[in-house]
Amino acid sequence: MTTQRMSSSNASRRNEASRRAILTAAFELVQEVGYAKLSIESIAARAGVGKQTIYRWWPSKGAVLFDAFLLMLGEQADTGEPALPDTGDLEADLKTVLRATIEELNDPRYDEPMRALNTEIVHDPALAALYSERLDGPMREMKKRRLRSAQRAGQLAEDLDLDVAVEMVWGPLLNRWLQRSGALTPEYADSLVETALSGLRPRH
Amino acid sequence: MTTQRMSSSNASRRNEASRRAILTAAFELVQEVGYAKLSIESIAARAGVGKQTIYRWWPSKGAVLFDAFLLMLGEQADTGEPALPDTGDLEADLKTVLRATIEELNDPRYDEPMRALNTEIVHDPALAALYSERLDGPMREMKKRRLRSAQRAGQLAEDLDLDVAVEMVWGPLLNRWLQRSGALTPEYADSLVETALSGLRPRH
Amino acid sequence: MTTQRMSSSNASRRNEASRRAILTAAFELVQEVGYAKLSIESIAARAGVGKQTIYRWWPSKGAVLFDAFLLMLGEQADTGEPALPDTGDLEADLKTVLRATIEELNDPRYDEPMRALNTEIVHDPALAALYSERLDGPMREMKKRRLRSAQRAGQLAEDLDLDVAVEMVWGPLLNRWLQRSGALTPEYADSLVETALSGLRPRH
Amino acid sequence: MTTQRMSSSNASRRNEASRRAILTAAFELVQEVGYAKLSIESIAARAGVGKQTIYRWWPSKGAVLFDAFLLMLGEQADTGEPALPDTGDLEADLKTVLRATIEELNDPRYDEPMRALNTEIVHDPALAALYSERLDGPMREMKKRRLRSAQRAGQLAEDLDLDVAVEMVWGPLLNRWLQRSGALTPEYADSLVETALSGLRPRH
DNA sequence: TTTTAAACGAGACGGTACGTCCCGTCTTGAT
DNA sequence: ATCAAGACGGGACGTACCGTCTCGTTTAAAA
């Protein structure tokens, strides 16, 4: 796993083909059978790999899944420093981004693996830390960059806590998706952005 | 399980003592060993009950846990129509409530079981529906009642979508707790309420 | 079961229809699924009877089967004092009887139930006693009567132990059938009778 | 199981210590609790072995017991070509052998396991074939060798079917033991041998 | 004829064992 | 010398039945 790979010179010995086969198999299987029924044995079988090869490099099923996720994300977009669109119109940019996120969440290809990752994090602090460092951290930083830009342009309150701001825009969306407590529509994205920007109180 | 109990006259045959023993055992065990290591066998053993008695009445481990939760909640507060405090000062009332929620989430007695319930819901739509109907629904209604009261008093925007409003106040909190993406402090509660009420944009 | 029925005046209350339904179901089921997979539950279900009705009247699965056997045998021939044919020609008569026995043993309708009964007896001394008293005893007596008749006619050795004689004629047959250690043909019946009567040693 | 061991090079992977522990445990347990209450779980527990290790190598409880039997027999006497005593006096030799057999059958150490094996054979043709090949076959051959020797010496009828002869001497004994239809005494052994050799008919 | 106690069908219950799956570790044979 | 293949001890799964125990409901005897 990532952690071990960092600390070990054995990593040089590592068979990259096996690593990719394992991660690909894990990602496919979690879509097919769901996280609960995903087993190390089935991953090894699908990948054509001995079980020990998985146990050697990853500490848990969740860690495999995490790396699988990283691999899949990395493949589609690994373009250095990522950024949110910045047209100068914050509201429009956020709506664009949230609508895109909603589309991704509705994509059955990613639904089950992402749910799996999110719930694994809830129970596994080690994985949560990894997630925070490698996935959520960079994403949050990217979001905060866009908000800071708007803040400098006077479009956001000067004393705004950007972490709270990020959570207020993206948190409700994630919750609604995970709990299926409501439909994820483009209109919802718009409503969310408008309400977050203007606040619940009447203006004027 | 709840669903089955509703639809069946067999329920009259049901042994209430066993039912309570099972739910109590489940609630205790999930605290002690965590959800991942919670087994039907251990619940049955602790409850002094045959496994079949669990399988007979509940469709899944998650459903047992859900009913266990309901039992525990029902015991401490089953006072008809629940309500949020309403002093007339919405901001103060919401801060009070969120601070209380944070205290509850930090209580180790409820931490593990609530995490378990929340993640079960993510993977099990049937359980999610049940959760929505029996737990989240009533709570959400209670929250919306308080917001509606404020809206009538002119403290909230007239065209506000109350569902979005509820999610914007409580969603970030839930996420931060589940993902451990930040500390849950009373200050955070205050900040959340203030930001949600005023919005991200500068006022004036 | 037989034993209990004898000792109790409760028997008067007994539902004869249920009794027959149980025995019939048991006999059918042992043919269909074999003795190992025959369960009290399945007998009760097939007979349309509560399990308790079986447990009330029989002490074991083997006892049910035994009574089922008795019922089936009794139906086809319950003609008071049974007897082996006695034409005066012992050898011919025995061959006739053994050939008939072989045909019965080869009848798939009786094969499985009879195997079941025979093996039950091996492990259950109580049932063995019952078997000895109600089935084997009368049959053996019948066989001995025929042999005694021949003995009086000077066709058998005067000092012959009739029990040993019976066992020597019928025992090998039963063994061969139970252990499938050889084909059960009419020729075998003949050979058995001839060898038993003449002995292994050369005559003269 | 024996069959599988023969056909497979996987057997090389097999843990011989586990195999012996399983067979020993099975043999002990069948003595202690009887065949009906002998469970795979208890064998595995006693042997300190996972259940799967039993299911992996044996197709049935009976097959385990059979191998256990083979192991126990093999340990006490695995001396190549076994033979019955041949003093030239067939009657005396047979009496010696039957008396010894009776002693063995009366030995509580072997009683329950042997009953178990014998009844398993009755219901399981595959096991019966194995039994015939590995245990009954060699024994029967040994018995026939002794009879053939006597036949050459003119002590047995020239046209005697040796299989029938073997069954006539040993069959009644086995039956009496299994069905408990009479006492197994040395006198019975003598009587059996004398009657079989001389036949039921009066001589002269 | 009514009462009343049992036998009855149904099936829930605490248990035991089943045979299967997978865990994480350990061993082996082929490359 | 590495690694796929897979055996191993172990634990839990979900199912089938065990034998016991209520439940109401017949049903046949005693009153």
Side-chain angles (χ1 to χ4, degrees):
Chain A
M1 192 271 299
T2 315
T3 301
Q4 295 176 357
R5 191 167 61 232
M6 286 173 177
S7 62
S8 170
S9 60
N10 298 344
S12 53
R13 300 264 214 206
R14 192 162 184 184
N15 184 334
E16 179 62 16
S18 289
R19 183 178 159 270
R20 294 185 72 92
I22 288 164
L23 298 181
T24 304
F27 198 80
E28 287 171 12
L29 281 167
V30 84
Q31 289 174 242
E32 294 171 21
V33 305
Y35 185 68
K37 298 195 171 177
L38 177 66
S39 69
I40 299 277
E41 297 215 328
S42 64
I43 296 173
R46 167 83 61 108
V49 138
K51 284 200 286 175
Q52 203 55 259
T53 303
I54 298 180
Y55 285 108
R56 187 156 27 234
W57 299 108
W58 287 274
S60 71
K61 202 168 69 170
V64 177
L65 198 70
F66 180 81
D67 275 7
F69 222 83
L70 238 41
L71 180 65
M72 298 307 140
L73 290 181
E75 265 174 5
Q76 61 178 45
D78 206 4
T79 50
E81 172 114 319
L84 254 37
D86 191 347
T87 63
D89 182 345
L90 178 65
E91 181 171 334
D93 288 349
L94 288 180
K95 285 180 177 176
T96 303
V97 169
L98 284 213
R99 280 165 173 253
T101 303
I102 280 178
E103 249 176 63
E104 207 176 85
L105 293 176
N106 282 332
D107 180 345
R109 237 162 57 80
Y110 289 94
D111 183 88
E112 183 59 54
M114 281 176 78
R115 284 178 189 278
L117 183 58
N118 269 284
T119 58
E120 235 358 53
I121 282 163
V122 170
H123 290 293
D124 182 346
L127 193 62
L130 205 57
Y131 172 76
S132 169
E133 180 201 331
R134 306 286 305 273
L135 274 181
D136 185 56
M139 300 285 272
R140 180 180 286 254
E141 207 44 59
M142 180 181 75
K143 292 164 187 169
K144 281 162 82 176
R145 264 200 302 278
R146 178 66 188 84
L147 294 184
R148 204 172 291 119
S149 151
Q151 198 174 29
R152 277 197 217 98
Q155 295 162 6
L156 293 180
E158 280 181 14
D159 60 345
L160 186 64
D161 181 328
L162 292 187
D163 276 304
V164 170
V166 165
E167 290 173 24
M168 201 163 307
V169 173
W170 277 272
L173 181 54
L174 189 63
N175 268 323
R176 193 176 262 232
W177 172 62
L178 286 174
Q179 302 195 351
R180 290 178 240 259
S181 51
L184 291 189
T185 60
E187 291 72 35
Y188 176 67
D190 294 352
S191 174
L192 201 53
V193 170
E194 288 164 18
T195 309
L197 288 177
S198 302
L200 309 182
R201 286 208 194 94
R203 294 194 88 89
H204 302 296
Chain B
M1 192 269 300
T2 314
T3 299
Q4 295 175 0
R5 192 169 59 231
M6 286 173 177
S7 61
S8 171
S9 60
N10 299 343
S12 56
R13 295 260 213 213
R14 193 166 181 179
N15 184 334
E16 178 62 15
S18 290
R19 183 180 158 269
R20 294 185 71 92
I22 289 163
L23 298 182
T24 304
F27 199 80
E28 287 171 13
L29 281 166
V30 83
Q31 288 173 243
E32 296 172 18
V33 305
Y35 185 69
K37 296 196 171 178
L38 177 67
S39 68
I40 298 277
E41 295 219 318
S42 64
I43 296 173
R46 167 84 59 109
V49 136
K51 281 198 290 175
Q52 201 58 44
T53 301
I54 299 180
Y55 286 110
R56 186 154 31 230
W57 299 108
W58 287 274
S60 69
K61 205 169 66 173
V64 176
L65 198 69
F66 179 80
D67 274 8
F69 224 84
L70 237 42
L71 180 65
M72 299 307 141
L73 291 181
E75 268 175 3
Q76 62 175 47
D78 207 1
T79 51
E81 173 113 320
L84 254 37
D86 190 346
T87 63
D89 182 346
L90 178 64
E91 182 172 332
D93 288 351
L94 288 180
K95 285 179 176 175
T96 304
V97 169
L98 284 213
R99 279 162 172 257
T101 302
I102 280 177
E103 250 176 63
E104 207 176 85
L105 293 177
N106 281 332
D107 181 345
R109 235 162 59 79
Y110 288 95
D111 182 86
E112 183 58 55
M114 281 175 77
R115 284 179 191 277
L117 184 57
N118 269 283
T119 57
E120 256 325 82
I121 282 164
V122 170
H123 290 293
D124 181 345
L127 192 61
L130 205 57
Y131 172 76
S132 169
E133 181 201 330
R134 306 288 304 275
L135 275 180
D136 185 55
M139 299 286 272
R140 179 180 288 253
E141 206 44 58
M142 182 181 75
K143 293 164 186 169
K144 282 163 80 177
R145 263 200 304 280
R146 179 65 188 85
L147 294 185
R148 206 174 289 120
S149 151
Q151 199 174 29
R152 276 198 217 98
Q155 295 162 6
L156 292 181
E158 281 182 14
D159 61 343
L160 186 65
D161 180 327
L162 292 187
D163 276 305
V164 169
V166 165
E167 291 173 24
M168 202 163 306
V169 174
W170 277 273
L173 182 55
L174 189 63
N175 268 323
R176 195 177 260 232
W177 172 62
L178 286 174
Q179 301 195 352
R180 292 178 235 260
S181 51
L184 290 190
T185 61
E187 291 72 34
Y188 176 66
D190 294 352
S191 174
L192 201 52
V193 170
E194 288 164 18
T195 310
L197 288 177
S198 301
L200 308 183
R201 284 206 196 96
R203 294 194 86 90
H204 304 295
Chain C
M1 192 271 299
T2 315
T3 301
Q4 295 176 358
R5 190 169 60 233
M6 286 172 175
S7 62
S8 171
S9 60
N10 300 342
S12 52
R13 298 271 222 204
R14 191 165 183 182
N15 184 334
E16 178 62 15
S18 289
R19 183 180 158 269
R20 294 184 71 91
I22 288 163
L23 298 180
T24 305
F27 198 80
E28 287 171 12
L29 281 167
V30 84
Q31 288 176 243
E32 294 171 20
V33 305
Y35 184 70
K37 296 194 172 181
L38 178 66
S39 68
I40 300 278
E41 296 218 328
S42 65
I43 296 172
R46 167 82 60 111
V49 136
K51 283 198 290 175
Q52 203 57 258
T53 302
I54 299 180
Y55 285 110
R56 184 150 37 228
W57 299 108
W58 289 274
S60 70
K61 201 169 69 171
V64 176
L65 198 68
F66 181 80
D67 274 8
F69 222 82
L70 239 41
L71 179 65
M72 299 306 140
L73 290 181
E75 266 175 4
Q76 63 176 45
D78 206 2
T79 50
E81 172 112 319
L84 255 36
D86 190 347
T87 64
D89 182 345
L90 179 64
E91 182 171 333
D93 288 350
L94 288 179
K95 284 179 177 176
T96 303
V97 169
L98 285 211
R99 280 163 172 256
T101 302
I102 280 177
E103 251 176 60
E104 208 176 85
L105 293 176
N106 282 332
D107 180 345
R109 235 162 58 78
Y110 289 94
D111 182 88
E112 183 60 53
M114 282 177 77
R115 284 179 191 276
L117 184 57
N118 269 283
T119 58
E120 223 19 38
I121 282 162
V122 170
H123 290 293
D124 181 348
L127 193 61
L130 204 58
Y131 172 76
S132 170
E133 180 202 331
R134 306 285 305 273
L135 275 179
D136 185 54
M139 300 285 272
R140 178 180 288 253
E141 206 44 59
M142 181 181 75
K143 293 165 187 168
K144 282 162 81 176
R145 264 199 302 280
R146 179 65 188 85
L147 293 185
R148 203 173 290 118
S149 150
Q151 198 174 28
R152 279 199 215 97
Q155 295 163 7
L156 292 181
E158 281 181 15
D159 60 346
L160 186 63
D161 180 328
L162 292 188
D163 276 305
V164 170
V166 166
E167 292 172 23
M168 202 163 308
V169 175
W170 278 273
L173 181 54
L174 189 63
N175 268 324
R176 195 177 261 232
W177 172 63
L178 286 174
Q179 301 195 354
R180 291 178 236 261
S181 52
L184 292 190
T185 61
E187 292 72 34
Y188 176 66
D190 294 353
S191 174
L192 203 52
V193 170
E194 288 165 16
T195 310
L197 288 176
S198 303
L200 309 182
R201 285 206 194 92
R203 294 194 87 90
H204 304 297
Chain D
M1 194 268 299
T2 314
T3 301
Q4 296 175 357
R5 193 169 57 232
M6 286 171 175
S7 62
S8 173
S9 59
N10 300 343
S12 53
R13 300 269 222 194
R14 193 164 182 180
N15 185 333
E16 178 62 16
S18 290
R19 181 179 159 269
R20 294 185 72 92
I22 289 164
L23 298 181
T24 304
F27 199 79
E28 288 172 11
L29 281 167
V30 84
Q31 288 175 242
E32 295 172 19
V33 304
Y35 185 69
K37 296 195 171 178
L38 177 65
S39 67
I40 299 276
E41 295 217 321
S42 64
I43 297 173
R46 168 82 59 111
V49 137
K51 282 199 288 176
Q52 202 57 45
T53 301
I54 299 181
Y55 286 109
R56 182 151 37 227
W57 299 108
W58 288 274
S60 70
K61 203 167 69 172
V64 176
L65 198 69
F66 179 80
D67 274 7
F69 225 84
L70 238 42
L71 180 65
M72 298 307 141
L73 291 181
E75 266 174 6
Q76 63 177 47
D78 205 3
T79 50
E81 174 113 319
L84 255 35
D86 190 347
T87 64
D89 182 345
L90 178 64
E91 183 172 331
D93 288 349
L94 288 180
K95 284 178 177 176
T96 304
V97 169
L98 284 212
R99 280 163 173 257
T101 303
I102 279 177
E103 249 176 63
E104 207 176 83
L105 293 177
N106 282 332
D107 180 346
R109 237 162 58 79
Y110 289 93
D111 182 88
E112 183 58 56
M114 280 176 78
R115 284 180 190 278
L117 184 57
N118 269 283
T119 57
E120 253 331 77
I121 282 163
V122 170
H123 289 293
D124 181 347
L127 193 62
L130 206 56
Y131 173 75
S132 169
E133 181 201 330
R134 306 287 304 273
L135 275 180
D136 185 55
M139 300 286 272
R140 179 180 287 253
E141 206 45 57
M142 181 181 76
K143 294 164 186 169
K144 282 163 81 175
R145 263 198 304 278
R146 179 64 188 87
L147 294 184
R148 206 172 288 120
S149 150
Q151 198 173 29
R152 279 198 215 97
Q155 295 162 6
L156 292 181
E158 280 180 15
D159 61 345
L160 185 64
D161 180 327
L162 292 187
D163 276 304
V164 170
V166 165
E167 292 173 23
M168 202 162 307
V169 174
W170 278 273
L173 181 56
L174 189 62
N175 269 323
R176 193 176 262 232
W177 172 63
L178 286 174
Q179 301 195 353
R180 293 179 235 260
S181 52
L184 291 191
T185 61
E187 291 72 33
Y188 175 67
D190 293 353
S191 174
L192 202 53
V193 169
E194 288 163 17
T195 310
L197 288 176
S198 302
L200 309 182
R201 287 207 194 92
R203 295 198 82 94
H204 303 298

